[in-house]
């Protein structure tokens, strides 16, 4: 219908009008002259030059063509945003010889630097190499760019891993001139009684209360079964708990809150000894950024986006393409 209308308009325009529309379009788009300069050169009012440029577009004399550079995936990002109702997707190119974690971290750092606000209260999960790459790639700013940085889960694994979690929160807070809140406790404890004791600690309680102020989450997406690195860290999942999660169909976790391939949350027995932000509290945070990639994490990432655990996804091109396909049963 549009093509027929354009052809009809071309026929109704005189040869002189078409010549003038075309000449103005060439001067503006190809020779880089301003509308004011064209106005003076052709002795036309600037308003008429502007109108004739619009006519040139409407008649198809000027056509816009966007050439996407290699490694840019705007179409793929848009398709994922529409399919999973995501606020934004950032797709990272996969490069031979380059660390995927560092590529994802660099993109996440740029995304944060351009979108974070001085009134943001940022919650960050601790057990994620990709998030370490993200924070390490961020640049320090001379002005305040966030209000608070709040740890979402106690340290998980070895003492070294817990120290790393504290360093992650501390460094992000330093880069953004924000006030840090730490979880000075393990993410998993031996039993419910120990959990209740930690929850009563004033410092831990203050950090947990800060979760109500969160406006942005920055989280990694973990797999189930866990990666060899996570398993070797001294995590405290028992074999019985792993069997329970496996039978229930767990594919991934965020802050140790597990979900299945459809993103449905689970309530395993392990939660009785877990010190971590609850699933319901996470889902109330307006912006939830997940940074994860690699085909090993495909199921976990699919569950995270399908269940709305995150609404901003930063991932790689291979995973992004697979997310548009039905899951493999």
């Amino acid at each position: 219908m549009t093509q027929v209308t354009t052809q009809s308009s071309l026929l109704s325009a005189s040869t002189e009008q078409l010549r003038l529309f075309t000449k103005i379009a060439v001067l503006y788009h190809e020779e880089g002259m301003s509308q004011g300069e064209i106005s003076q050169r052709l002795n036309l009012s600037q308003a008429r030059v502007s109108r004739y440029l619009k006519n040139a577009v409407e008649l198809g004399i000027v056509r816009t063509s966007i050439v996407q550079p290699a490694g840019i995936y705007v179409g793929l990002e848009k398709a994922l945003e529409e399919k999973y109702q995501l606020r934004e997707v950032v797709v990272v190119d996969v490069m031979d010889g380059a660390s995927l974690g560092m590529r994802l971290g660099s993109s996440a750092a740029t995304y944060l630097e351009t979108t974070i606000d001085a009134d943001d209260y940022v919650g960050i999960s601790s057990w994620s190499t990709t998030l370490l790459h993200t924070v390490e790639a961020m640049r320090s700013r001379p002005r305040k760019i966030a209000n608070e940085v709040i740890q979402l889960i106690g340290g998980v694994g070895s003492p070294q891993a817990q120290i790393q979690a504290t360093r992650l929160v501390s460094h992000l807070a330093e880069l953004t001139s924000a006030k840090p809140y730490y979880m000075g406790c393990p993410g998993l404890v031996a039993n419910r009684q120990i959990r209740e004791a930690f929850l009563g600690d004033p410092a831990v309680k203050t950090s947990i209360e800060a979760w109500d102020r969160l406006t942005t989450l920055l989280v990694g997406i973990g797999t189930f079964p866990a990666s060899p690195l996570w398993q070797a860290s001294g995590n405290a999942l028992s074999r019985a708990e792993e069997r329970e999660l496996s039978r229930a169909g767990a594919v991934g976790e965020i802050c140790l809150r597990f979900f299945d391939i459809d993103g449905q949350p689970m309530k395993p027995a392990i939660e009785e000894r877990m010190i971590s932000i609850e699933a319901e509290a996470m889902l109330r945070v307006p912006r939830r950024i997940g940074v994860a990639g690699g085909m090993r994490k495909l199921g976990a990432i699919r569950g995270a986006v399908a269940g709305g655990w995150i609404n901003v996804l930063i991932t790689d091109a291979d995973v992004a393409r697979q997310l548009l396909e039905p899951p493999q049963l």
Side-chain angles (χ1 to χ4, degrees):
M1 183 68 179
T2 303
Q3 186 176 2
V4 172
T5 303
T6 300
Q7 290 175 343
S8 176
S9 299
L10 281 168
L11 290 172
S12 63
S14 68
T15 302
E16 177 56 28
Q17 285 178 314
L18 293 177
R19 186 198 65 79
L20 190 53
F21 296 162
T22 304
K23 184 169 186 176
I24 290 173
V26 169
L27 292 173
Y28 185 74
H29 292 285
E30 294 186 0
E31 298 188 17
M33 294 180 64
S34 68
Q35 292 187 21
E37 290 170 336
I38 296 170
S39 171
Q40 291 181 348
R41 177 166 173 173
L42 300 182
N43 198 31
L44 298 170
S45 70
Q46 192 164 330
R48 179 166 291 189
V49 169
S50 178
R51 187 167 69 251
Y52 284 180
L53 282 170
K54 184 178 179 182
N55 291 147
V57 172
E58 291 172 345
L59 293 172
I61 297 169
V62 174
R63 299 178 184 179
T64 303
S65 177
I66 299 173
V67 179
Q68 294 188 28
I72 304 299
Y73 301 95
V74 173
L76 186 54
E77 292 169 353
K78 187 173 184 295
L80 284 171
E81 289 163 1
E82 292 176 352
K83 178 173 182 177
Y84 293 101
Q85 300 299 299
L86 298 170
R87 284 176 55 158
E88 190 160 4
V89 174
V90 177
V91 174
V92 176
D93 198 19
V94 180
M95 300 174 65
D96 292 337
S99 161
L100 178 57
M102 293 184 70
R103 293 276 295 146
L104 291 169
S106 177
S107 291
T110 301
Y111 175 80
L112 275 177
E113 288 170 352
T114 55
T115 64
I116 204 166
D117 187 85
D119 292 327
D120 262 323
Y121 295 77
V122 182
I124 185 167
S125 60
S126 57
W127 183 260
S128 171
T129 304
T130 304
L131 293 190
L132 280 174
H133 287 310
T134 298
V135 174
E136 287 170 358
M138 289 182 67
R139 297 168 297 170
S140 180
R141 299 296 181 87
R143 59 181 178 82
K144 183 186 181 95
I145 61 170
N147 204 312
E148 296 176 356
V149 173
I150 307 160
Q151 191 171 336
L152 299 175
I153 179 173
V156 177
S158 65
Q160 182 59 37
Q162 297 187 33
I163 292 170
Q164 183 173 276
T166 300
R167 190 182 71 192
L168 181 62
V169 174
S170 177
H171 191 30
L172 181 58
E174 181 183 353
L175 289 169
T176 58
S177 299
K179 180 178 180 180
Y181 285 82
Y182 304 100
M183 293 293 290
C185 60
L188 286 172
V189 295
N191 54 54
R192 181 190 297 178
Q193 289 73 26
I194 295 177
R195 175 179 180 270
E196 294 300 323
F198 271 115
L199 293 179
D201 179 81
V204 173
K205 190 174 181 180
T206 298
S207 294
I208 290 174
E209 289 172 349
W211 292 343
D212 291 334
R213 299 192 291 273
L214 290 169
T215 59
T216 295
L217 296 184
L218 179 62
V219 297
I221 302 172
T223 59
F224 182 85
S227 68
L229 177 65
W230 200 87
Q231 290 174 334
S233 71
N235 77 82
L237 263 72
S238 69
R239 290 190 176 183
E241 289 165 340
E242 289 181 344
R243 285 195 297 269
E244 177 194 2
L245 286 164
S246 182
R247 285 194 299 266
V251 298
E253 55 83 17
I254 294 177
C255 295
L256 283 184
R257 301 296 174 176
F258 291 88
F259 49 82
D260 64 18
I261 194 67
D262 297 317
Q264 292 300 309
M266 300 177 174
K267 296 290 184 181
I270 188 178
E271 294 200 351
E272 293 185 355
R273 55 193 190 89
M274 186 187 301
I275 303 175
S276 166
I277 186 171
E278 295 184 353
E280 294 81 2
M282 274 194 277
L283 295 174
R284 287 197 298 268
V285 179
R287 184 168 63 150
R288 305 179 296 280
I289 307 164
V291 188
M295 294 304 293
R296 183 181 62 83
K297 288 197 172 187
L298 176 61
I301 296 170
R302 189 187 297 277
V305 295
W309 292 78
I310 60 173
N311 56 16
V312 175
L313 173 64
I314 301 174
T315 193
D316 63 88
D318 290 343
V319 167
R321 293 188 189 97
Q322 287 301 311
L323 287 174
L324 293 176
E325 302 296 328
Q328 298 294 320
L329 300 178

